[in-house]
Amino acid sequence: MGESSAAATPEDLKTSDLKMTPLHGLHLELGARMVPFAGYDMPVQYPKGVLAEHVHTREAAGLFDVSHMGQARLKGPDHETVAAALEALAPGNFKGLGAGRQVYSLLLTNKGTIVDDFMVARPAAPEEEGSLLLVVNAACKEKDYAYIAARLPENVTLEPLEDLALLALQGPRAGEVLARHARQAAEMIFMDARRGSFDGIACHLTRAGYTGEDGFEISVAADKAEAVARALLAHDEVEPIGLGARDSLRLEAGLCLYGHDIDEATTPVEAALNWAIPKRRREEGGFPGAETILDQLKNGAPSKRVGILPDGKAPAREGTEIFSTTGEKLGVVTSGGFGPSVGGPIAMGYVQTAASDVSTEVVLMVRGKERPAHIAPLPFVAQRYYRGKK
Amino acid sequence: MSDIRFTKDHEWVLVDGDTATIGISDYAQEQLGDVVFVELPDIGKTLEQGDEAAVVESVKAASEVYAPVSGEVIEVNEELEAAPGRVNEDATGEGWFVKLKLTDEDELDDLMDEAAYAKYIKELD
């Protein structure tokens, strides 16, 4: 047997060169299978396996170690100044971001392509006024920090927060479980951000994640991360979840994986992330590549990210070519595999915009065989974010 | 006594007369995790030892299954199309992939018996 295509794991590092998160020992104790990912030795799955971990997250709550991601503080004299500095690099409405709120945004090149996708939180506490908390992709940390630091005004600084761990608790039971340890959790809705206390341990909570489920990310001092993880894992509702299920969960939720679905060759409009460019920024511009992006918003882009549902059972992996039913090449799959909650193969990829309408029939070339498929709406599994009591 | 033989790539072959049944080992299914799709060859296809005989896919990845011996495909396990999880449940039994009409019995000499394979995978871990 030989592996012909695998999920995202850059295998360019020897195990000995890999960095470890503060939970590395716990992963080993839990029986995780470890793989190199973005320079870290990370758990791809635990003994229950990817399928069971995926389903458990959708049904109860899954605990993910995302400490490899980059956490940083952007700091200036006041909110207006720090928000303006970030608005020069990304198309979010940071000036209008309320205290205690978080937003998803995109760091852009001058061509309007994507340097990274990242989260930006404005802390709720008045004493943190003038700060924005960033969470960036693990593989992009150094690139992002250099990119941002080189473009800041003198009175705004970027401080990487290296001594923090990040845990994600995701799933329909996440809220009630977390509230047993951190009462602040119960008062938060999707994309809220709060300082909190987890059994007396200082933490920063955001009600967000990357699975399509309700859930939280818990930022905590590295030396306290294991205590938090063990306390959460002590609940019957909570199981540890590896990168394998993290990937299938985010793919079902229609969320982009940087370096695969988006990169420095794709714009937000091509990536169908128009929603990440709010109205004021569309009117005012003032972000890198605004000319290109505003033109694409108005007139469309040549290609577009879409969902793709194979009609049969064969998964179409990253790199699979997409053709029209008449044999014209339309594009390529950028993420693909099996969706455990969908119960079949799912994929995302780029196709010519003219062929991007939902239900358009396409042909996937999988190992030399033509496999019929069609363009499908994203997400594949409905997002279940908690937006407050109805 | 069992005449099952294994390759270093974790396929197995069991010969009965001139029929060779092939599949992947229990160790291989465990490494793969949950099998979600199996692609089988056409009946009548001729495979040389080491050729790609089938493809097995888990949630994470696709892997090739190589023919442990040469032969012509005479039967495939169509049950796997509806129930690929059978590979996980019973890798060396109901989870078989392909039956070949064996062309060169001497090729079996290149393969490991059960004891040798058990030793081989122990050294991998």
Side-chain angles (χ1 to χ4, degrees):
Chain A
M1 266 178 43
E3 195 163 279
S4 57
S5 66
T9 48
E11 309 281 0
D12 50 356
L13 287 162
K14 287 190 218 103
T15 308
S16 55
D17 297 331
L18 294 172
K19 287 179 272 190
M20 290 180 236
T21 74
L23 297 180
H24 190 266
L26 180 60
H27 299 316
L28 298 180
E29 182 187 317
L30 292 168
R33 183 177 305 163
M34 306 298 285
V35 297
F37 181 84
Y40 285 80
D41 194 34
M42 295 297 289
V44 66
Q45 65 173 81
Y46 298 87
K48 290 200 170 160
V50 178
L51 215 56
E53 291 172 27
H54 177 113
V55 170
H56 185 87
T57 305
R58 293 248 186 267
E59 289 178 351
L63 182 67
F64 303 73
D65 179 11
V66 286
S67 302
H68 56 313
M69 298 187 80
Q71 300 182 70
R73 181 190 295 271
L74 201 59
K75 200 172 177 193
D78 51 53
H79 177 71
E80 182 71 16
T81 307
V82 74
L86 195 55
E87 286 196 2
L89 306 178
N93 176 18
F94 309 117
K95 289 180 188 169
L97 187 64
R101 294 291 292 162
Q102 180 173 254
V103 67
Y104 171 87
S105 194
L106 302 161
L107 210 52
L108 298 173
T109 68
N110 287 333
K111 290 186 284 183
T113 62
I114 303 170
V115 175
D116 197 6
D117 61 339
F118 68 138
M119 290 293 208
V120 180
R122 179 179 176 186
E127 58 271 26
E128 286 187 87
E129 176 68 11
S131 278
L132 290 173
L133 300 174
L134 314 183
V135 180
V136 306
N137 279 299
C140 299
K141 267 191 262 195
E142 282 160 34
K143 172 180 87 164
D144 291 359
Y145 293 163
Y147 183 88
I148 295 169
R151 287 162 180 79
L152 291 176
E154 273 185 10
N155 56 352
V156 178
T157 55
L158 180 74
E159 179 196 354
L161 305 171
E162 307 283 7
D163 56 348
L164 291 178
L166 191 64
L167 309 183
L169 186 68
Q170 299 281 298
R173 308 293 293 277
E176 59 171 285
V177 169
L178 186 58
R180 293 173 204 158
H181 300 275
R183 58 174 177 74
Q184 297 82 2
E187 298 153 13
M188 298 167 66
I189 61 167
F190 181 56
M191 288 296 206
D192 272 350
R194 295 282 184 281
R195 292 270 161 214
S197 165
F198 184 105
D199 295 343
I201 299 167
C203 60
H204 185 256
L205 304 174
T206 56
R207 195 157 194 164
Y210 222 59
T211 59
E213 296 297 324
D214 179 25
F216 293 81
E217 290 191 344
I218 308 160
S219 174
V220 61
D223 61 355
K224 299 286 197 294
E226 192 172 324
V228 171
R230 285 186 189 277
L232 290 170
L233 289 169
H235 298 285
D236 288 343
E237 296 93 333
V238 182
E239 291 285 343
I241 312 295
L243 290 177
R246 184 171 168 81
D247 194 51
S248 56
L249 288 159
R250 70 91 200 163
L251 177 56
E252 282 187 341
L255 300 169
C256 293
L257 179 61
Y258 191 82
H260 300 263
D261 306 302
I262 48 176
D263 57 26
E264 292 191 13
T266 53
T267 69
V269 181
E270 288 161 355
L273 296 171
N274 300 10
W275 55 269
I277 311 172
K279 186 161 170 277
R280 179 175 64 81
R281 303 306 313 275
R282 294 183 191 205
E283 288 165 3
E284 295 177 5
F287 49 85
E291 199 176 323
T292 302
I293 290 170
L294 295 176
D295 176 71
Q296 289 187 346
L297 280 170
K298 197 170 157 203
N299 301 312
S303 65
K304 193 179 164 193
R305 181 176 64 96
V306 292
I308 301 153
L309 267 181
D311 295 343
K313 289 185 176 171
R317 305 282 173 179
E318 181 177 0
T320 300
E321 294 189 310
I322 307 165
F323 294 89
S324 71
T325 51
T326 53
E328 182 196 2
K329 186 169 172 195
L330 298 176
V332 67
V333 169
T334 50
S335 280
F338 182 84
S341 302
V342 171
I346 52 173
M348 291 199 299
Y350 284 80
V351 296
Q352 293 174 21
T353 302
S356 65
D357 288 346
V358 166
S359 301
T360 302
E361 289 178 25
V362 297
V363 174
L364 304 173
M365 197 59 86
V366 180
R367 292 182 290 270
K369 281 191 189 140
E370 292 183 8
R371 302 278 190 182
H374 59 274
I375 307 300
L378 292 172
F380 296 105
V381 171
Q383 294 163 345
R384 297 196 286 179
Y385 305 133
Y386 180 70
R387 298 181 193 273
K389 289 207 172 71
K390 300 218 173 74
Chain B
M1 136 177 182
S2 162
D3 282 340
I4 195 164
R5 293 278 186 280
F6 293 88
T7 69
K8 284 184 175 172
D9 295 321
H10 311 288
E11 294 90 6
W12 58 263
V13 55
L14 185 63
V15 174
D16 179 16
D18 64 353
T19 301
T21 304
I22 70 178
I24 66 168
S25 71
D26 198 50
Y27 174 86
Q29 71 77 18
E30 211 180 293
Q31 291 293 311
L32 281 174
D34 307 287
V35 173
V36 297
F37 179 75
V38 174
E39 187 172 306
L40 298 165
D42 294 332
I43 308 264
K45 187 175 180 180
T46 303
L47 297 172
E48 297 294 322
Q49 188 178 34
D51 280 358
E52 180 183 312
V55 175
V56 57
E57 301 213 24
S58 67
V59 181
K60 294 196 299 284
S63 306
E64 292 106 8
V65 179
Y66 303 118
V69 291
S70 306
E72 184 191 327
V73 177
I74 51 173
E75 198 180 337
V76 296
N77 188 357
E78 281 165 10
E79 306 255 315
L80 296 184
E81 280 170 28
R86 209 154 277 187
V87 177
N88 296 112
E89 291 151 18
D90 190 10
T92 50
E94 302 242 307
W96 65 275
F97 281 58
V98 178
K99 289 187 182 176
L100 300 176
K101 192 172 176 211
L102 191 63
T103 48
D104 183 2
E105 213 169 299
D106 290 346
E107 286 175 351
L108 291 166
D109 297 340
D110 306 341
L111 307 177
M112 291 174 272
D113 64 16
E114 206 159 7
Y117 180 68
K119 192 167 166 245
Y120 172 69
I121 56 176
K122 209 170 170 188
E123 283 162 7
L124 289 180
D125 281 336

